[in-house]
């Protein structure tokens, strides 16, 4: 079981904090699929302090999502601490996570995100300042290093622990790699062996078998799933079943995939309004449709659509066109129990 500070999860499967993906609509689906901990997409410390409407909406936590981790980023100690205080006192998140893995230039140029990976002393200074200012447990998500010449994962994780951080998530790639190449699980293992706080492994987990291999290889306390869950929350559910019961459930049917996609869209509509939600849903639908028979022919229609009802009609027509095949899982027997809790 994964425990961070005094927050105990019901299992050790964690949804990664993906920008543009992990809003309450998707997080709640992940939680309904059984995920032990869900992480919100990262929010800028400066944006929190400016208090703009969109940012404050990003701090919203549905009680049904808990336990939940809210992630912040920033390069200035004072503003990071003040933003952490807002999350600590004005939200019902359970955990405050600090991002030191984001590789995008607009973040690293602000001396934030992955930029910290070059300086264990800065990590200690920043994390300890936040820990001292808040009551909620503080964690860090990081990459193994800046590039192949600057891999300080062990020193950085030890700095987090010394500073009072309650857990560290480690993505097995450098900032330079972005999402290319192969995640280095050996370095995640070295981090696990070097610290006493929980370590959550991340990188190249696209199947339940991958999750088990990562846990066995690294000895980590938890496994974080990111891109493997895009348009595929069943990956989370199937991983939990595989890790806890040794059962490998089949993939969902195309009809079930479209049912959950519509639930996802409707929740986005409630959050953001129809126009914004349907535009945002286009990329999600491309992920939900990935690998399904004949999906390519409807993707173009979806990318032009701005109406919720029209989108539902397109997806319904697609499922009708598949006939009986729409009710057959990609592998094995029926997967009807997956997603049964999602309405």
């Amino acid at each position: 079981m994964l425990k961070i500070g005094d927050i105990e999860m019901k299992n050790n499967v964690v949804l990664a904090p993906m920008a543009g993906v992990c809003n309450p609509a998707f997080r709640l689906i992940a939680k309904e699929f059984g995920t032990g901990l869900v992480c919100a997409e990262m929010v800028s410390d400066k944006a929190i302090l400016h208090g703009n409407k969109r940012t404050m909406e990003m701090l919203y936590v549905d009680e049904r999502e808990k336990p939940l981790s809210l992630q912040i980023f920033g390069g200035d100690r004072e503003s990071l601490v003040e933003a952490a205080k807002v999350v600590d006192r004005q939200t019902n998140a359970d955990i405050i996570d600090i991002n030191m893995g984001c590789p995008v230039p607009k973040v690293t140029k602000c001396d934030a995100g992955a930029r910290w990976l070059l300086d264990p002393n800065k990590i200690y200074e920043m994390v300890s300042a936040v820990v001292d200012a808040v009551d909620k447990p503080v964690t860090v998500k990081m990459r193994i290093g800046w590039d192949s010449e600057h891999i300080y994962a062990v020193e950085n994780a030890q700095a987090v622990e010394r500073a009072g951080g309650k857990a560290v998530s480690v993505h097995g790639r450098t900032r330079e790699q972005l999402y290319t190449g192969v995640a280095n699980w050996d370095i995640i293992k070295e981090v696990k062996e070097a610290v006493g706080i929980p370590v959550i492994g991340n990188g190249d987990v696209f199947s339940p078998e991958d999750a088990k291999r990562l846990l066995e290889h690294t000895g980590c306390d938890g496994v974080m799933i990111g891109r493997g869950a895009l348009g595929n929350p069943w990956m989370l559910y199937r991983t939990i079943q595989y890790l806890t019961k040794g059962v490998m459930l089949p993939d969902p049917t195309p009809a079930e995939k479209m049912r959950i996609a519509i639930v996802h869209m409707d929740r986005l509509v409630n959050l953001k309004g129809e126009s914004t939600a349907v535009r945002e849903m286009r990329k999600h639908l491309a992920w939900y449709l990935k690998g399904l028979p004949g999906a390519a022919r409807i993707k173009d229609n979806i990318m032009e659509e701005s109406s919720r009802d029209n989108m539902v009609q397109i997806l319904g027509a697609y499922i009708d066109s598949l006939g009986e095949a729409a009710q057959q899982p990609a592998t094995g027997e029926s997967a009807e129990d997956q997603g049964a809790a999602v309405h």
Side-chain angles (χ1 to χ4, degrees):
M1 213 53 61
L2 179 62
K3 189 174 183 183
I4 297 174
D6 58 356
I7 310 297
E8 196 163 334
M9 322 309 157
K10 61 183 180 180
N11 57 61
N12 62 351
V13 175
V14 182
L15 175 68
M18 294 175 284
V21 172
C22 290
N23 52 46
F26 186 68
R27 296 193 312 250
L28 186 54
I29 289 172
K31 184 61 73 169
E32 289 165 335
F33 274 93
T35 310
L37 176 67
V38 295
C39 303
E41 57 188 308
M42 68 177 189
V43 186
S44 155
D45 58 350
K46 300 281 199 301
I48 291 172
L49 297 181
H50 288 147
N52 71 61
K53 183 173 179 286
R54 181 172 174 273
T55 298
M56 301 322 283
E57 286 169 356
M58 289 174 75
L59 300 183
Y60 169 75
V61 179
D62 187 311
E63 278 294 316
R64 294 171 294 173
E65 300 179 73
K66 292 162 65 69
L68 176 137
S69 167
L70 267 177
Q71 187 181 75
I72 59 175
F73 74 94
D76 174 72
R77 182 169 69 174
E78 188 177 331
S79 60
L80 192 71
V81 166
E82 290 307 310
K85 286 180 184 176
V86 171
V87 175
D88 191 50
R89 294 162 198 176
Q90 298 178 31
T91 80
N92 57 342
D94 301 279
I95 295 164
I96 300 170
D97 189 59
I98 301 173
N99 179 293
M100 48 183 254
C102 181
V104 302
K106 73 175 182 181
V107 171
T108 57
K109 281 178 183 172
C110 300
D111 204 22
R115 194 78 202 172
W116 292 21
L117 299 171
L118 293 165
D119 189 354
N121 291 329
K122 171 158 187 168
I123 291 167
Y124 174 79
E125 174 193 320
M126 299 286 271
V127 175
S128 60
V130 171
V131 168
D132 290 346
V134 301
D135 293 326
K136 297 183 196 291
V138 176
T139 61
V140 166
K141 182 170 193 292
M142 68 182 208
R143 285 174 175 251
I144 56 172
W146 180 258
D147 56 29
S148 58
E149 304 296 314
H150 301 87
I151 294 179
Y152 308 135
V154 168
E155 298 93 326
N156 290 343
Q158 289 171 333
V160 171
E161 182 174 36
R162 280 200 320 276
K166 298 299 185 187
V168 61
S169 303
V170 185
H171 182 165
R173 286 180 173 81
T174 64
R175 181 264 169 194
E176 184 181 57
Q177 281 181 278
L178 301 177
Y179 297 96
T180 64
V182 177
N184 189 325
W185 292 357
D186 290 337
I187 294 176
I188 300 175
K189 180 182 181 181
E190 290 173 17
V191 170
K192 173 58 189 167
E193 291 169 350
V195 297
I197 56 176
V199 176
I200 300 165
N202 176 220
D204 290 352
V205 178
F206 295 102
S207 70
E209 297 99 324
D210 290 340
K212 189 167 193 239
R213 277 197 300 271
L214 181 143
L215 290 168
E216 289 175 347
H217 185 90
T218 64
C220 276
D221 304 275
V223 58
M224 181 175 277
I225 297 171
R227 289 175 295 154
L230 294 176
N232 188 18
W234 297 270
M235 163 60 181
L236 301 163
Y237 180 80
R238 294 171 72 235
T239 297
I240 294 158
Q241 296 301 306
Y242 187 61
L243 294 178
T244 58
K245 300 177 183 174
V247 175
M248 179 59 76
L249 292 170
D251 286 317
T253 65
E256 172 64 5
K257 279 198 149 196
M258 294 308 99
R259 183 180 80 80
I260 298 299
I262 292 167
V263 169
H264 187 167
M265 177 167 60
D266 285 344
R267 288 179 176 170
L268 269 182
V269 169
N270 289 337
L271 274 176
K272 304 187 174 193
E274 182 174 9
S275 177
T276 300
V278 173
R279 280 200 311 274
E280 192 171 304
M281 197 64 202
R282 292 169 185 167
K283 66 182 178 188
H284 289 282
L285 280 167
W287 292 323
Y288 277 103
L289 286 160
K290 188 176 179 183
L292 295 185
R297 70 175 183 268
I298 69 161
K299 282 183 183 173
D300 289 344
N301 294 345
I302 283 168
M303 292 307 164
E304 300 297 321
E305 197 46 70
S306 57
S307 154
R308 179 264 177 203
D309 289 348
N310 288 351
M311 198 74 98
V312 170
Q313 197 172 6
I314 291 168
L315 298 178
Y318 166 64
I319 292 302
D320 290 344
S321 75
L322 294 180
E324 287 186 17
Q327 308 303 327
Q328 300 301 316
T331 58
E333 299 171 1
S334 170
E336 286 175 1
D337 55 340
Q338 302 177 49
V342 185
H343 305 294

